[in-house]
Every structure is written in structure tokens, then in C-alpha cells.
Amino acid sequence: MLALRLTRGARPAVQLRRFLVAAASAGTGFLLLCALGHALGPPGAPSASLLRLAWCAAPLAATVYFAVAVARTDPGTRPRSGLSALGLGPVRLMAVSATTTALTCALGSVTALLVFLHLRGDLTGTPFDGSGADFLAIGRPLPLPATLTLLTLVPGSASAAVAVALRPRERAAGPSRSGRTAYGRFGAYRATAARETFGAYGRFGRHLETAAHGRRPSAARQPTPEEAQAPLQTQAQAQTQAQQDRLRADLPGQDPERAHGPHGTQDDPDSAAAVPASGAGRAPSGLPWGIAVLALGLAVGAYASRTGVGTVTGDRPGAPAGPVLAAVGLALAGPGLTHLCGRLLQSVRPGALRLLAGRLLMTEATRIGRPLGVVCAVLSGAYALGSLYYPGGRPAGPLALLGVLLVTGCTVATLLTAAVEAKRAHAGTTAALLRLGAPASTPRRAAALRAGTLLALFGPLTVIVAQLSALSLAL
């Protein structure tokens, strides 16, 4: 009931994103049912039906990826202070998010079943004069266990992925990685940020010497006003340091384990600082691996094309492995390339606008770079596989076009969702700039500069990878 109430009372933008998830789930469910209908058709090669079912993995993965992105940006299930006392802790909110995602995808699966039954003629007369009978299995009964299994595949996978992505994370034991570790006397770790004076060790030795002679320290010497105020100053500095650590934990682009408390709760997002995080200079570690996997994919595609047994390009079963690996490498390299764009913006005597745009790109390298790399990977892979299976301008079938539309639409929608989330995360930065007297067009100009820089790097890179993948398949 709580998930239904949150779904009904959400904002129009959230409802639109959930509607898109339901539409993607309906398309994926329809493709799975068409694969089942092809398997129930006239007896033929079972490998063809198995290949159709295997190609449904790409729309399924894209739908789950989009559902996880929508669940992350859902404001109704975001942890807030005080909800744990009402029984809505991090685990309960994670369960509510998974249930909401399952209900949304289940609605899409039911829609796919109704459309499939309508095209088969089970609800009304057979439309389109019986066209598409090879994958609709017209006149043959549908097995109920197989149909239910395929229809529950999308809601089950999406809800499980949301539960794993939004699970509460405990803070790791040990010193925080957000700042420099403070060490006390002889290397002992100390949590306070107060600095010791030069004579602290000498005073501590005198205290020990006084206690060894049997005299009380308080009777030997009265503390000075500065020494009496020292504990209060130390406590005030410790509180200030704790507040700074909490603000740094609330900043976007930081480690999720530091953004949550010891029980997985999250502080109020409105208290985030209005400046980018201090750890924005750390580059993501996936760029070398992405380049290596990309080169491996091009090599595998060329090798599979040379050693294939078929005379037609699409008859070589190992040929799609090359474009797939190249696309995976491009997706892995996305965050690193985004971080590189931020560094390039800040090079060669930058102004205030370039500094702001580059700093935000470096801060949001993972949040924006990963879906951007996935979009570029999908576009390059679709071009390479299209040249592989549909050479010479041969038109593709309706199911292939539906699959390409689903995968591309889900990845682009995920990128737009990440961009909206990044804009909302930097609302404090925008407000601080406006309070300092910056022009109202500065945030828009910085956003346009970031978008242009990313397009200037990822656009030609996508075209080059797509051409190289298609060229390696044509060798």
C-alpha cells in the first residue's frame, strides 16, 4: 500500500519517468513473447529461435538499466532524517523502491501480453490479414508456464537490480578518506582536529613527575585562563571539523559510503555545500581498461571475420563478439573521458566560466560519463551490427527495429535522467553563484560549454569506433 500511495502521489516528472519504464518493459516483454511464438511456429532449426531469444538480452539489460536510474532519482523513496523513527529506514525504503519498480514493469508486461494476444487474434479478429504469423504462432496455444516465466523476467530482474543498487551501505571502519589523516603523539590516531603546542609533551612529563612524588596536580599549580579555555576550544574545533566532514559527505560525486551514516541514513540534501567537492581531481580508473577492451574488440572482430566459415557476413557466428567488446570498452572509458574533458576545459589560462564548467565535469565524471559512454557504445554497436546483418541497404524487420529503438531509447533516457539528477545536485552551487552576484546566464553558459565539450569528444570518437568495427568485420 505504501508503494502504491507513493506512486499515486508523485510529481508529474516522476510519473513520466515511470511511464517510460513501463513502456520499455512492454516492448521488451513483447519481444520475449515473439521469440516464444517463433519457437512454437513450424518446425525448423531450433538455433534460430534460440538466437532470437538471446538477442532479447540487449533490450532486457537496457530496460533494467533505465529502471535502476529512475529508481535512484525517485524523491519519494530517498532517505531522510527522522524516517527511521517511523519505521521507514533505509532497508524499508529500498524495499519500497524495488516494489514500485516491480509494479511499474509488471504493468508493462501485462500491456505486452494484451498486445500480443490482440495481434494473434485471441481477443478479437486477426488484424493485418494474418501477417507476422511466423513469430505470433497464430492458431497454436501458448504454454502458460513459459508465458508467465517470460513476462516475469523483466519485473523480477528490474526489482532485483534496484534492490542491489539501493541497498544500505555501512560506513567502513577506520579513518575517513575525505581528508588527511591526523596523527597524534608517536603516530597514535586521534579524531580531534586540534593541534598540539610545542610544550605539550613537556607539560605532560611534568604532570607525570608531580604525580610520581605523591602530589596532586591541582594543588601544585593552578591552571591558567588559557589552559582552562583549551578544552572548550578543542571541542569547538572538533565540532567544526565534524560539520565540514558531514558537508563533504553530502556533496555530489562522492563515495556513497561516505554520504550515508553508520546506519545507512542520509542527511538533509539541502545542507550540501555550494562548491564542488575537494576530491573532484581523482580520475576514474576505467579509462585504461576501456581502451584495452576496445582494442581487443577490434582485434576479435577482424579475426572472426577472417576465420569465419560462412560466405555471407551475417553467417559468421563469432563476428558479433568484436562489436560487442568494442562497445563495452567504450562504455568503460566513458567516465575517464569525461574527466579528461573537465581537465582540458581548465587548461591554458582558463577563465571563471571554463573553471566552473571543467570543475563540474570532473566532479560528475562518473555520474554523467557512464551513461554517456553507454549511449556512444550503443550507437557504435548498432551501426557495426547493422552493417554485419543488413549489408547493401537491406531493410531490417519490424522486431529488429523495435529492439534497436528500445535499446537506444532506454540509454538516451538514462543519460537525460542522469543530467537532471546532476543539475539538481548542483542547485546549491547555482544558488551560491547567484547570491555572489554572478549573471543569471552563467549556469546556462557553463552547461552549454560542458555539453559542447562532451559532444566534441564523444561524437567523433563514436563515429571512429563504429567505422573501425564495421571495417574489421568487412576484412
Side-chain angles (χ1 to χ4, degrees):
M1 290 299 297
L2 180 59
L4 291 175
R5 289 183 178 181
L6 290 176
T7 302
R8 186 181 60 181
R11 296 178 180 179
V14 179
Q15 298 286 13
L16 177 61
R17 290 196 290 264
R18 290 173 180 169
F19 175 76
L20 292 178
V21 172
S25 176
T28 305
F30 182 77
L31 289 179
L32 291 172
L33 292 177
C34 288
L36 176 63
H38 186 271
L40 295 175
S47 59
S49 300
L50 185 61
L51 183 61
R52 284 175 175 263
L53 185 61
W55 276 115
C56 292
L60 176 61
T63 303
V64 171
Y65 184 57
F66 181 42
V68 171
V70 171
R72 285 182 183 273
T73 58
D74 192 354
T77 57
R78 186 172 302 166
R80 296 182 182 90
S81 301
L83 290 181
S84 298
L86 301 176
L88 295 177
V91 178
R92 181 72 181 276
L93 290 178
M94 179 267 295
V96 170
S97 298
T99 305
T100 304
T101 304
L103 291 176
T104 305
C105 294
L107 178 62
S109 297
V110 171
T111 305
L113 178 61
L114 293 178
V115 172
F116 187 75
L117 293 178
H118 174 69
L119 294 179
R120 278 171 49 90
D122 295 338
L123 301 180
T124 57
T126 304
F128 309 117
D129 297 331
S131 58
D134 54 340
F135 58 86
L136 293 176
I138 298 177
R140 294 179 177 83
L142 290 176
L144 183 60
T147 304
L148 293 180
T149 300
L150 293 178
L151 288 179
T152 56
L153 188 60
V154 179
S157 302
S159 60
V162 168
V164 171
L166 301 182
R167 69 187 185 278
R169 294 176 174 86
E170 296 292 340
R171 174 177 289 183
S176 175
R177 294 174 295 173
S178 60
R180 183 176 299 176
T181 305
Y183 295 95
R185 190 179 296 109
F186 298 108
Y189 175 74
R190 120 188 121 169
T192 177
R195 295 181 178 271
E196 291 183 350
T197 58
F198 178 76
Y201 182 75
R203 288 196 299 272
F204 182 71
R206 287 199 303 270
H207 291 168
L208 290 181
E209 182 179 0
T210 304
H213 287 287
R215 291 177 296 177
R216 296 178 59 183
S218 59
R221 185 177 61 89
Q222 294 294 332
T224 61
E226 291 79 6
E227 293 177 354
Q229 294 294 330
L232 298 179
Q233 295 178 359
T234 302
Q235 184 179 3
Q237 291 177 0
Q239 292 177 357
T240 304
Q241 183 67 23
Q243 292 177 0
Q244 293 177 358
D245 292 340
R246 184 164 60 253
L247 291 178
R248 281 196 296 265
D250 290 336
L251 284 173
Q254 298 294 318
D255 191 0
E257 295 182 1
R258 292 186 283 111
H260 296 271
H263 300 287
T265 58
Q266 188 178 14
D267 294 332
D268 191 2
D270 295 335
S271 62
V275 293
S278 59
R282 292 191 298 268
S285 59
L287 183 57
W289 292 101
I291 296 175
V293 175
L294 176 60
L296 178 63
L298 297 178
V300 168
Y303 179 77
S305 298
R306 286 177 177 270
T307 59
V309 295
T311 57
V312 183
T313 308
D315 294 339
R316 298 189 287 268
V324 170
L325 284 177
V328 170
L330 190 56
L332 289 176
L337 293 176
T338 305
H339 191 274
L340 180 62
C341 288
R343 283 195 175 276
L344 291 178
L345 274 178
Q346 300 178 80
S347 61
V348 192
R349 301 179 64 181
L353 185 63
R354 288 171 54 191
L355 280 175
L356 177 63
R359 189 67 172 177
L360 291 180
L361 269 184
M362 293 171 63
T363 305
E364 300 296 334
T366 302
R367 180 181 293 174
I368 297 295
R370 184 177 290 117
L372 182 59
V374 171
V375 169
C376 296
V378 167
L379 294 179
S380 62
Y383 179 82
L385 293 177
S387 64
L388 173 66
Y389 286 98
Y390 303 99
R394 184 163 59 95
L399 295 182
L401 292 178
L402 177 60
V404 172
L405 180 63
L406 276 175
V407 176
T408 307
C410 287
T411 52
V412 172
T414 303
L415 177 60
L416 295 178
T417 303
V420 172
E421 183 183 5
K423 179 182 179 182
R424 185 176 57 191
H426 290 292
T429 304
T430 304
L433 288 175
L434 296 179
R435 285 196 304 267
L436 291 175
S441 61
T442 299
R444 293 191 296 269
R445 292 170 57 192
L449 182 59
R450 293 195 302 269
T453 305
L454 292 176
L455 183 61
L457 178 64
F458 281 90
L461 180 62
T462 304
V463 174
I464 291 174
V465 172
Q467 292 290 344
L468 289 178
S469 300
L471 183 61
S472 64
L473 295 176
L475 292 178

